[in-house]
PDB file of all heavy atoms in Angstrom:
ATOM      1  N   ALA A 322     -21.902   6.749  -7.012  1.00 98.00           N
ATOM      2  CA  ALA A 322     -20.484   6.466  -6.846  1.00 98.00           C
ATOM      3  C   ALA A 322     -20.330   5.028  -6.353  1.00 98.00           C
ATOM      4  O   ALA A 322     -21.280   4.434  -5.838  1.00 98.00           O
ATOM      5  CB  ALA A 322     -19.849   7.437  -5.865  1.00 98.00           C
ATOM      6  N   TRP A 323     -19.138   4.481  -6.520  1.00 97.00           N
ATOM      7  CA  TRP A 323     -18.872   3.095  -6.110  1.00 97.00           C
ATOM      8  C   TRP A 323     -18.692   2.998  -4.615  1.00 97.00           C
ATOM      9  O   TRP A 323     -18.106   3.866  -3.979  1.00 97.00           O
ATOM     10  CB  TRP A 323     -17.632   2.581  -6.821  1.00 97.00           C
ATOM     11  CG  TRP A 323     -17.885   2.310  -8.262  1.00 97.00           C
ATOM     12  CD1 TRP A 323     -17.620   3.164  -9.304  1.00 97.00           C
ATOM     13  CD2 TRP A 323     -18.466   1.143  -8.829  1.00 97.00           C
ATOM     14  NE1 TRP A 323     -18.013   2.582 -10.482  1.00 97.00           N
ATOM     15  CE2 TRP A 323     -18.541   1.339 -10.228  1.00 97.00           C
ATOM     16  CE3 TRP A 323     -18.957  -0.042  -8.293  1.00 97.00           C
ATOM     17  CZ2 TRP A 323     -19.063   0.385 -11.095  1.00 97.00           C
ATOM     18  CZ3 TRP A 323     -19.467  -0.992  -9.165  1.00 97.00           C
ATOM     19  CH2 TRP A 323     -19.510  -0.777 -10.538  1.00 97.00           C
ATOM     20  N   ARG A 324     -19.205   1.902  -4.072  1.00 97.00           N
ATOM     21  CA  ARG A 324     -19.054   1.572  -2.653  1.00 97.00           C
ATOM     22  C   ARG A 324     -18.450   0.176  -2.550  1.00 97.00           C
ATOM     23  O   ARG A 324     -18.591  -0.631  -3.456  1.00 97.00           O
ATOM     24  CB  ARG A 324     -20.408   1.598  -1.945  1.00 97.00           C
ATOM     25  CG  ARG A 324     -21.116   2.921  -2.063  1.00 97.00           C
ATOM     26  CD  ARG A 324     -22.494   2.878  -1.491  1.00 97.00           C
ATOM     27  NE  ARG A 324     -23.302   1.840  -2.143  1.00 97.00           N
ATOM     28  CZ  ARG A 324     -24.565   1.574  -1.837  1.00 97.00           C
ATOM     29  NH1 ARG A 324     -25.176   2.241  -0.890  1.00 97.00           N
ATOM     30  NH2 ARG A 324     -25.219   0.632  -2.459  1.00 97.00           N
ATOM     31  N   GLN A 325     -17.817  -0.084  -1.426  1.00 96.00           N
ATOM     32  CA  GLN A 325     -17.225  -1.398  -1.161  1.00 96.00           C
ATOM     33  C   GLN A 325     -17.878  -1.973   0.076  1.00 96.00           C
ATOM     34  O   GLN A 325     -17.982  -1.292   1.102  1.00 96.00           O
ATOM     35  CB  GLN A 325     -15.726  -1.250  -0.916  1.00 96.00           C
ATOM     36  CG  GLN A 325     -15.030  -2.519  -0.420  1.00 96.00           C
ATOM     37  CD  GLN A 325     -14.520  -3.392  -1.542  1.00 96.00           C
ATOM     38  OE1 GLN A 325     -14.056  -2.887  -2.536  1.00 96.00           O
ATOM     39  NE2 GLN A 325     -14.587  -4.684  -1.366  1.00 96.00           N
ATOM     40  N   SER A 326     -18.325  -3.209  -0.012  1.00 95.00           N
ATOM     41  CA  SER A 326     -18.831  -3.918   1.159  1.00 95.00           C
ATOM     42  C   SER A 326     -17.650  -4.533   1.883  1.00 95.00           C
ATOM     43  O   SER A 326     -16.886  -5.316   1.300  1.00 95.00           O
ATOM     44  CB  SER A 326     -19.805  -5.011   0.741  1.00 95.00           C
ATOM     45  OG  SER A 326     -20.054  -5.888   1.834  1.00 95.00           O
ATOM     46  N   PHE A 327     -17.507  -4.211   3.162  1.00 93.00           N
ATOM     47  CA  PHE A 327     -16.463  -4.834   3.965  1.00 93.00           C
ATOM     48  C   PHE A 327     -17.005  -6.032   4.734  1.00 93.00           C
ATOM     49  O   PHE A 327     -16.332  -6.592   5.581  1.00 93.00           O
ATOM     50  CB  PHE A 327     -15.817  -3.793   4.898  1.00 93.00           C
ATOM     51  CG  PHE A 327     -14.747  -3.021   4.193  1.00 93.00           C
ATOM     52  CD1 PHE A 327     -15.079  -2.027   3.288  1.00 93.00           C
ATOM     53  CD2 PHE A 327     -13.412  -3.303   4.396  1.00 93.00           C
ATOM     54  CE1 PHE A 327     -14.112  -1.321   2.606  1.00 93.00           C
ATOM     55  CE2 PHE A 327     -12.423  -2.611   3.714  1.00 93.00           C
ATOM     56  CZ  PHE A 327     -12.783  -1.613   2.825  1.00 93.00           C
ATOM     57  N   HIS A 328     -18.212  -6.432   4.384  1.00 91.00           N
ATOM     58  CA  HIS A 328     -18.783  -7.659   4.934  1.00 91.00           C
ATOM     59  C   HIS A 328     -18.681  -8.781   3.916  1.00 91.00           C
ATOM     60  O   HIS A 328     -18.207  -9.874   4.233  1.00 91.00           O
ATOM     61  CB  HIS A 328     -20.240  -7.430   5.342  1.00 91.00           C
ATOM     62  CG  HIS A 328     -20.847  -8.582   6.068  1.00 91.00           C
ATOM     63  ND1 HIS A 328     -20.462  -8.934   7.338  1.00 91.00           N
ATOM     64  CD2 HIS A 328     -21.792  -9.460   5.696  1.00 91.00           C
ATOM     65  CE1 HIS A 328     -21.153 -10.004   7.717  1.00 91.00           C
ATOM     66  NE2 HIS A 328     -21.967 -10.333   6.741  1.00 91.00           N
ATOM     67  N   PHE A 329     -19.086  -8.509   2.678  1.00 91.00           N
ATOM     68  CA  PHE A 329     -19.105  -9.537   1.642  1.00 91.00           C
ATOM     69  C   PHE A 329     -18.058  -9.336   0.560  1.00 91.00           C
ATOM     70  O   PHE A 329     -17.834 -10.209  -0.255  1.00 91.00           O
ATOM     71  CB  PHE A 329     -20.493  -9.607   0.990  1.00 91.00           C
ATOM     72  CG  PHE A 329     -21.568  -9.968   1.974  1.00 91.00           C
ATOM     73  CD1 PHE A 329     -22.480  -9.016   2.391  1.00 91.00           C
ATOM     74  CD2 PHE A 329     -21.653 -11.246   2.502  1.00 91.00           C
ATOM     75  CE1 PHE A 329     -23.482  -9.328   3.295  1.00 91.00           C
ATOM     76  CE2 PHE A 329     -22.645 -11.575   3.427  1.00 91.00           C
ATOM     77  CZ  PHE A 329     -23.557 -10.610   3.821  1.00 91.00           C
ATOM     78  N   GLY A 330     -17.431  -8.144   0.487  1.00 91.00           N
ATOM     79  CA  GLY A 330     -16.348  -7.918  -0.451  1.00 91.00           C
ATOM     80  C   GLY A 330     -16.752  -7.368  -1.808  1.00 91.00           C
ATOM     81  O   GLY A 330     -15.891  -7.014  -2.594  1.00 91.00           O
ATOM     82  N   PHE A 331     -18.041  -7.289  -2.093  1.00 93.00           N
ATOM     83  CA  PHE A 331     -18.448  -6.822  -3.411  1.00 93.00           C
ATOM     84  C   PHE A 331     -18.352  -5.296  -3.501  1.00 93.00           C
ATOM     85  O   PHE A 331     -18.327  -4.592  -2.504  1.00 93.00           O
ATOM     86  CB  PHE A 331     -19.866  -7.267  -3.753  1.00 93.00           C
ATOM     87  CG  PHE A 331     -20.936  -6.652  -2.893  1.00 93.00           C
ATOM     88  CD1 PHE A 331     -21.463  -5.406  -3.187  1.00 93.00           C
ATOM     89  CD2 PHE A 331     -21.416  -7.328  -1.783  1.00 93.00           C
ATOM     90  CE1 PHE A 331     -22.445  -4.836  -2.390  1.00 93.00           C
ATOM     91  CE2 PHE A 331     -22.396  -6.762  -0.975  1.00 93.00           C
ATOM     92  CZ  PHE A 331     -22.907  -5.515  -1.281  1.00 93.00           C
ATOM     93  N   GLN A 332     -18.284  -4.824  -4.752  1.00 95.00           N
ATOM     94  CA  GLN A 332     -18.358  -3.396  -5.037  1.00 95.00           C
ATOM     95  C   GLN A 332     -19.601  -3.148  -5.863  1.00 95.00           C
ATOM     96  O   GLN A 332     -19.925  -3.932  -6.752  1.00 95.00           O
ATOM     97  CB  GLN A 332     -17.129  -2.916  -5.809  1.00 95.00           C
ATOM     98  CG  GLN A 332     -15.871  -2.969  -4.981  1.00 95.00           C
ATOM     99  CD  GLN A 332     -14.684  -2.392  -5.724  1.00 95.00           C
ATOM    100  OE1 GLN A 332     -14.589  -2.482  -6.933  1.00 95.00           O
ATOM    101  NE2 GLN A 332     -13.765  -1.799  -4.989  1.00 95.00           N
ATOM    102  N   ALA A 333     -20.310  -2.065  -5.565  1.00 95.00           N
ATOM    103  CA  ALA A 333     -21.528  -1.721  -6.298  1.00 95.00           C
ATOM    104  C   ALA A 333     -21.711  -0.214  -6.262  1.00 95.00           C
ATOM    105  O   ALA A 333     -21.217   0.454  -5.354  1.00 95.00           O
ATOM    106  CB  ALA A 333     -22.742  -2.414  -5.682  1.00 95.00           C
ATOM    107  N   ASN A 334     -22.437   0.276  -7.244  1.00 95.00           N
ATOM    108  CA  ASN A 334     -22.711   1.707  -7.230  1.00 95.00           C
ATOM    109  C   ASN A 334     -23.856   1.999  -6.275  1.00 95.00           C
ATOM    110  O   ASN A 334     -24.692   1.153  -5.997  1.00 95.00           O
ATOM    111  CB  ASN A 334     -23.012   2.221  -8.633  1.00 95.00           C
ATOM    112  CG  ASN A 334     -24.281   1.625  -9.224  1.00 95.00           C
ATOM    113  OD1 ASN A 334     -24.636   0.496  -8.938  1.00 95.00           O
ATOM    114  ND2 ASN A 334     -24.948   2.379 -10.054  1.00 95.00           N
ATOM    115  N   GLY A 335     -23.858   3.217  -5.757  1.00 96.00           N
ATOM    116  CA  GLY A 335     -24.915   3.639  -4.846  1.00 96.00           C
ATOM    117  C   GLY A 335     -25.213   5.100  -5.048  1.00 96.00           C
ATOM    118  O   GLY A 335     -24.381   5.870  -5.551  1.00 96.00           O
ATOM    119  N   TYR A 336     -26.419   5.503  -4.669  1.00 97.00           N
ATOM    120  CA  TYR A 336     -26.815   6.910  -4.782  1.00 97.00           C
ATOM    121  C   TYR A 336     -25.971   7.765  -3.864  1.00 97.00           C
ATOM    122  O   TYR A 336     -25.781   7.436  -2.686  1.00 97.00           O
ATOM    123  CB  TYR A 336     -28.294   7.074  -4.453  1.00 97.00           C
ATOM    124  CG  TYR A 336     -29.201   6.426  -5.471  1.00 97.00           C
ATOM    125  CD1 TYR A 336     -29.954   5.303  -5.127  1.00 97.00           C
ATOM    126  CD2 TYR A 336     -29.292   6.929  -6.757  1.00 97.00           C
ATOM    127  CE1 TYR A 336     -30.784   4.695  -6.055  1.00 97.00           C
ATOM    128  CE2 TYR A 336     -30.118   6.316  -7.696  1.00 97.00           C
ATOM    129  CZ  TYR A 336     -30.859   5.211  -7.339  1.00 97.00           C
ATOM    130  OH  TYR A 336     -31.664   4.609  -8.259  1.00 97.00           O
ATOM    131  N   LYS A 337     -25.496   8.887  -4.365  1.00 97.00           N
ATOM    132  CA  LYS A 337     -24.603   9.777  -3.622  1.00 97.00           C
ATOM    133  C   LYS A 337     -25.267  10.414  -2.402  1.00 97.00           C
ATOM    134  O   LYS A 337     -24.562  10.867  -1.507  1.00 97.00           O
ATOM    135  CB  LYS A 337     -24.072  10.882  -4.533  1.00 97.00           C
ATOM    136  CG  LYS A 337     -23.112  10.385  -5.588  1.00 97.00           C
ATOM    137  CD  LYS A 337     -22.652  11.551  -6.452  1.00 97.00           C
ATOM    138  CE  LYS A 337     -21.698  11.110  -7.520  1.00 97.00           C
ATOM    139  NZ  LYS A 337     -21.301  12.240  -8.371  1.00 97.00           N
ATOM    140  N   ASP A 338     -26.588  10.450  -2.357  1.00 97.00           N
ATOM    141  CA  ASP A 338     -27.259  11.095  -1.226  1.00 97.00           C
ATOM    142  C   ASP A 338     -27.474  10.149  -0.040  1.00 97.00           C
ATOM    143  O   ASP A 338     -28.025  10.524   0.971  1.00 97.00           O
ATOM    144  CB  ASP A 338     -28.584  11.724  -1.652  1.00 97.00           C
ATOM    145  CG  ASP A 338     -29.582  10.709  -2.207  1.00 97.00           C
ATOM    146  OD1 ASP A 338     -29.237   9.530  -2.363  1.00 97.00           O
ATOM    147  OD2 ASP A 338     -30.731  11.130  -2.492  1.00 97.00           O
ATOM    148  N   THR A 339     -27.003   8.916  -0.145  1.00 97.00           N
ATOM    149  CA  THR A 339     -27.122   7.925   0.924  1.00 97.00           C
ATOM    150  C   THR A 339     -25.968   8.088   1.913  1.00 97.00           C
ATOM    151  O   THR A 339     -24.817   8.277   1.514  1.00 97.00           O
ATOM    152  CB  THR A 339     -27.075   6.499   0.321  1.00 97.00           C
ATOM    153  OG1 THR A 339     -28.064   6.391  -0.682  1.00 97.00           O
ATOM    154  CG2 THR A 339     -27.283   5.438   1.381  1.00 97.00           C
ATOM    155  N   ASN A 340     -26.261   7.969   3.199  1.00 98.00           N
ATOM    156  CA  ASN A 340     -25.202   8.011   4.213  1.00 98.00           C
ATOM    157  C   ASN A 340     -24.545   6.642   4.305  1.00 98.00           C
ATOM    158  O   ASN A 340     -25.216   5.645   4.578  1.00 98.00           O
ATOM    159  CB  ASN A 340     -25.759   8.418   5.575  1.00 98.00           C
ATOM    160  CG  ASN A 340     -26.073   9.890   5.647  1.00 98.00           C
ATOM    161  OD1 ASN A 340     -25.689  10.663   4.786  1.00 98.00           O
ATOM    162  ND2 ASN A 340     -26.773  10.286   6.689  1.00 98.00           N
ATOM    163  N   VAL A 341     -23.240   6.623   4.072  1.00 96.00           N
ATOM    164  CA  VAL A 341     -22.439   5.409   4.063  1.00 96.00           C
ATOM    165  C   VAL A 341     -21.164   5.703   4.857  1.00 96.00           C
ATOM    166  O   VAL A 341     -20.763   6.856   5.002  1.00 96.00           O
ATOM    167  CB  VAL A 341     -22.108   5.000   2.600  1.00 96.00           C
ATOM    168  CG1 VAL A 341     -21.158   3.825   2.535  1.00 96.00           C
ATOM    169  CG2 VAL A 341     -23.377   4.678   1.833  1.00 96.00           C
ATOM    170  N   TYR A 342     -20.510   4.674   5.373  1.00 97.00           N
ATOM    171  CA  TYR A 342     -19.273   4.870   6.131  1.00 97.00           C
ATOM    172  C   TYR A 342     -18.198   5.526   5.274  1.00 97.00           C
ATOM    173  O   TYR A 342     -18.124   5.331   4.065  1.00 97.00           O
ATOM    174  CB  TYR A 342     -18.729   3.541   6.658  1.00 97.00           C
ATOM    175  CG  TYR A 342     -19.380   3.113   7.948  1.00 97.00           C
ATOM    176  CD1 TYR A 342     -20.377   2.156   7.957  1.00 97.00           C
ATOM    177  CD2 TYR A 342     -18.993   3.679   9.160  1.00 97.00           C
ATOM    178  CE1 TYR A 342     -20.976   1.752   9.138  1.00 97.00           C
ATOM    179  CE2 TYR A 342     -19.583   3.283  10.348  1.00 97.00           C
ATOM    180  CZ  TYR A 342     -20.570   2.334  10.326  1.00 97.00           C
ATOM    181  OH  TYR A 342     -21.159   1.964  11.499  1.00 97.00           O
ATOM    182  N   VAL A 343     -17.354   6.291   5.957  1.00 97.00           N
ATOM    183  CA  VAL A 343     -16.261   7.022   5.327  1.00 97.00           C
ATOM    184  C   VAL A 343     -14.995   6.771   6.138  1.00 97.00           C
ATOM    185  O   VAL A 343     -15.003   6.911   7.366  1.00 97.00           O
ATOM    186  CB  VAL A 343     -16.534   8.541   5.324  1.00 97.00           C
ATOM    187  CG1 VAL A 343     -15.350   9.309   4.743  1.00 97.00           C
ATOM    188  CG2 VAL A 343     -17.820   8.852   4.580  1.00 97.00           C
ATOM    189  N   ARG A 344     -13.928   6.400   5.447  1.00 95.00           N
ATOM    190  CA  ARG A 344     -12.607   6.333   6.080  1.00 95.00           C
ATOM    191  C   ARG A 344     -11.627   6.936   5.082  1.00 95.00           C
ATOM    192  O   ARG A 344     -11.479   6.460   3.979  1.00 95.00           O
ATOM    193  CB  ARG A 344     -12.225   4.895   6.405  1.00 95.00           C
ATOM    194  CG  ARG A 344     -10.872   4.750   7.121  1.00 95.00           C
ATOM    195  CD  ARG A 344     -10.899   5.160   8.589  1.00 95.00           C
ATOM    196  NE  ARG A 344     -11.544   4.160   9.407  1.00 95.00           N
ATOM    197  CZ  ARG A 344     -10.932   3.136   9.989  1.00 95.00           C
ATOM    198  NH1 ARG A 344      -9.632   2.983   9.867  1.00 95.00           N
ATOM    199  NH2 ARG A 344     -11.611   2.274  10.678  1.00 95.00           N
ATOM    200  N   ALA A 345     -10.977   7.993   5.503  1.00 97.00           N
ATOM    201  CA  ALA A 345     -10.057   8.710   4.642  1.00 97.00           C
ATOM    202  C   ALA A 345      -8.718   7.982   4.534  1.00 97.00           C
ATOM    203  O   ALA A 345      -8.329   7.214   5.420  1.00 97.00           O
ATOM    204  CB  ALA A 345      -9.835  10.116   5.187  1.00 97.00           C
ATOM    205  N   ILE A 346      -8.019   8.265   3.435  1.00 97.00           N
ATOM    206  CA  ILE A 346      -6.653   7.809   3.249  1.00 97.00           C
ATOM    207  C   ILE A 346      -5.845   9.003   2.762  1.00 97.00           C
ATOM    208  O   ILE A 346      -6.379  10.027   2.354  1.00 97.00           O
ATOM    209  CB  ILE A 346      -6.526   6.642   2.246  1.00 97.00           C
ATOM    210  CG1 ILE A 346      -6.898   7.094   0.844  1.00 97.00           C
ATOM    211  CG2 ILE A 346      -7.350   5.449   2.684  1.00 97.00           C
ATOM    212  CD1 ILE A 346      -6.507   6.076  -0.239  1.00 97.00           C
TER     213      ILE A 346
END
Side-chain angles (χ1 to χ4, degrees):
W323 287 96
R324 303 174 302 179
Q325 171 89 37
S326 166
F327 276 76
H328 187 69
F329 299 108
F331 66 84
Q332 292 184 328
N334 65 329
Y336 293 111
K337 291 179 180 178
D338 61 355
T339 306
N340 285 348
V341 174
Y342 277 101
V343 176
R344 182 75 75 90
I346 66 168

